[in-house]
Amino acid sequence: MEPASELRMRVVTKKAEKSGNNLKRMYEKAKKGMHLHHGLGTVLKGNYHFHGGLVPGFAAEEMDDTRAEWERPGMWGLLLGKDEMENSISTLRSAITEFNATAIWQFFHIGIARVTDLYAPEYRALAAGGGHFLLVVLLVISFSAPSGGHMNPNITLATVLIGHTTVFRYIVYTIAQLLGAILGSILMRMTLGWDGIGAADLKGCAHPDGVGAYSMLTINVVVFHMLLCVIGGVAFDPAQAKVFGPILAPILIAAAIFLIIFATSNTIPGYGPGLNWAECFSKSIATGEILGGEWYSIVAPTIASCVHSILFVLVPPTHSDTGMFRLPLLEPLRRAEAKMRKEAAAETDSEYTVNPVADEARDSRGSLDH
């Protein structure tokens, strides 16, 4: 009869062979098939989930990625969207939804601005703010599940910088949002009669006379930063999202839009918040007319997004036990690392846990046999 030490060695060898066979089967399964992404009812390779929606609660529960380790994307692959690039049908569907939502937003946004100026000029800030409040609530609630309900490339960029949206999705969404805004502007121009309708008639992003560039830049950086703080607090902060839930989030975001319009409309004569460059440039494209204020709708929100991302990731202690925000896109790496540590610890325990009585009995029987 073989000694206990040799028996343990043989058991460890068999376990290693079994582990290798399991790994091989997992690799073949990953090559042949795709895993069902049960969150949005679409098929994706691996277990990638979109985390950038403005209404919390729609992201699917994380699943273990059963692909072989060398088949899984690394940190940069997750941030850039490697899985989405390889299986882009789901992302394209969401982009079409963003196209539709942005077109609707653009048409009714212009309508609200025109009606306010025509019929309620004395109460312009209140009327425009109230109209946009209703528009934001309805569209964000309606489109958050399938696409996130951004309708604004600046919002999508902000979610990229805090690790909720991949770079690939940002590019696809930006194209869809710009095209949707152009369609909405064209439809409104057609509604108004087309001929003789300029960018000013579509309430384009003009640069008020006598106002310096630094003033326009400053006010738009501040208001967009305020909007991002509200979005980050009610939709993306892990602690607060559990409290406010999927219903209050769009209402509070819409309230921030209302407050921005109401508080800034008379700050600078002729000023209107330029927080969506797709909205601004689409009016110019649809009419072939540049009003001169389109630039700040790109520069100011980009600056605000960078500032907000730094504060959001590094400062709030409520984000995690460590006081640092953990990028949701990198969650698969953390889950895989934790699983590997757990399996390694379990394997080590099973290899080196010995029953002394049983080993002594086996050794004694082996000596008697000899």
Side-chain angles (χ1 to χ4, degrees), residues 95-111 135 139 143 150-152 173 175-188 276 278-279 282:
I96 293 172
T97 304
E98 277 291 297
F99 168 84
N100 180 37
T102 310
I104 296 172
W105 160 269
Q106 186 76 352
F107 185 89
F108 282 90
H109 150 72
I110 298 173
L135 185 62
L139 293 185
F143 292 103
H150 294 179
M151 299 170 288
N152 184 342
Y173 270 27
I175 296 172
Q177 289 158 348
L178 177 59
L179 293 177
I182 292 173
L183 176 61
S185 299
I186 291 175
L187 291 175
M188 179 55 78
N276 185 342
E279 174 188 303
S282 64

Side-chain angles (χ1 to χ4, degrees), residues 46-363:
N47 66 332
Y48 175 77
H49 298 148
F50 174 52
H51 300 272
L54 297 186
V55 176
F58 287 115
E61 183 180 354
E62 291 288 347
M63 300 179 296
D64 290 334
D65 193 337
T66 57
R67 289 175 292 180
E69 183 178 356
W70 54 84
E71 281 283 291
R72 303 170 191 164
M75 181 185 72
W76 289 110
L78 290 171
L79 295 177
L80 293 175
K82 181 176 180 292
D83 280 342
E84 289 184 330
M85 295 178 195
E86 296 177 353
N87 307 275
S88 58
I89 295 177
S90 174
T91 307
L92 292 176
R93 284 171 158 178
S94 297
I96 293 172
T97 304
E98 277 291 297
F99 168 84
N100 180 37
T102 310
I104 296 172
W105 160 269
Q106 186 76 352
F107 185 89
F108 282 90
H109 150 72
I110 298 173
I112 292 170
R114 285 182 58 85
V115 168
T116 300
D117 286 345
L118 288 174
Y119 299 106
E122 296 181 0
Y123 304 97
R124 180 177 180 273
L126 185 63
H132 283 88
F133 172 84
L134 295 175
L135 185 62
V136 171
V137 169
L138 293 174
L139 293 185
V140 170
I141 289 179
S142 299
F143 292 103
S144 278
S147 72
H150 294 179
M151 299 170 288
N152 184 342
N154 292 326
I155 296 293
T156 307
L157 175 62
T159 64
V160 171
L161 295 179
I162 59 174
H164 284 71
T165 303
T166 66
V167 174
F168 174 73
R169 186 180 288 262
Y170 166 70
I171 295 172
V172 176
Y173 270 27
T174 297
I175 296 172
Q177 289 158 348
L178 177 59
L179 293 177
I182 292 173
L183 176 61
S185 299
I186 291 175
L187 291 175
M188 179 55 78
R189 186 181 179 186
M190 293 173 63
T191 302
L192 298 176
W194 193 267
D195 292 336
I197 302 299
D201 298 304
L202 300 182
K203 303 303 174 183
C205 301
H207 191 134
D209 296 333
V211 178
Y214 65 90
S215 297
M216 295 295 292
L217 188 63
T218 301
I219 190 170
N220 280 281
V221 168
V222 173
V223 297
F224 196 73
H225 176 67
M226 177 268 194
L227 177 62
L228 292 181
C229 288
V230 173
I231 293 175
V234 301
F236 297 138
D237 186 287
Q240 297 190 145
K242 297 177 182 178
V243 177
F244 295 111
I247 302 300
L248 281 180
I251 295 175
L252 295 177
I253 293 170
I257 297 291
F258 171 84
L259 183 60
I260 287 172
I261 295 174
F262 180 75
T264 62
S265 291
N266 293 322
T267 303
I268 299 175
Y271 168 78
L275 308 181
N276 185 342
W277 66 259
E279 174 188 303
C280 290
F281 279 90
S282 64
K283 298 171 183 177
S284 300
I285 294 172
T287 60
E289 182 182 3
I290 301 294
L291 296 181
E294 292 82 3
W295 65 272
Y296 63 77
S297 65
I298 292 181
V299 178
T302 300
I303 295 174
S305 297
C306 293
V307 173
H308 172 262
S309 65
I310 295 173
L311 296 175
F312 186 84
V313 171
L314 298 181
V315 176
T318 57
H319 282 158
S320 70
D321 296 335
T322 62
M324 294 283 289
F325 179 69
R326 300 168 67 177
L327 303 183
L329 288 178
L330 300 183
E331 187 62 28
L333 289 181
R334 289 187 288 269
R335 290 172 60 86
E337 182 180 354
K339 184 179 179 182
M340 289 177 61
R341 286 199 301 265
K342 183 177 179 180
E343 291 178 347
E347 188 71 21
T348 301
D349 292 341
S350 64
E351 288 178 9
Y352 293 101
T353 300
V354 180
N355 187 331
V357 177
D359 288 347
E360 183 179 354
R362 280 194 296 268
D363 290 341

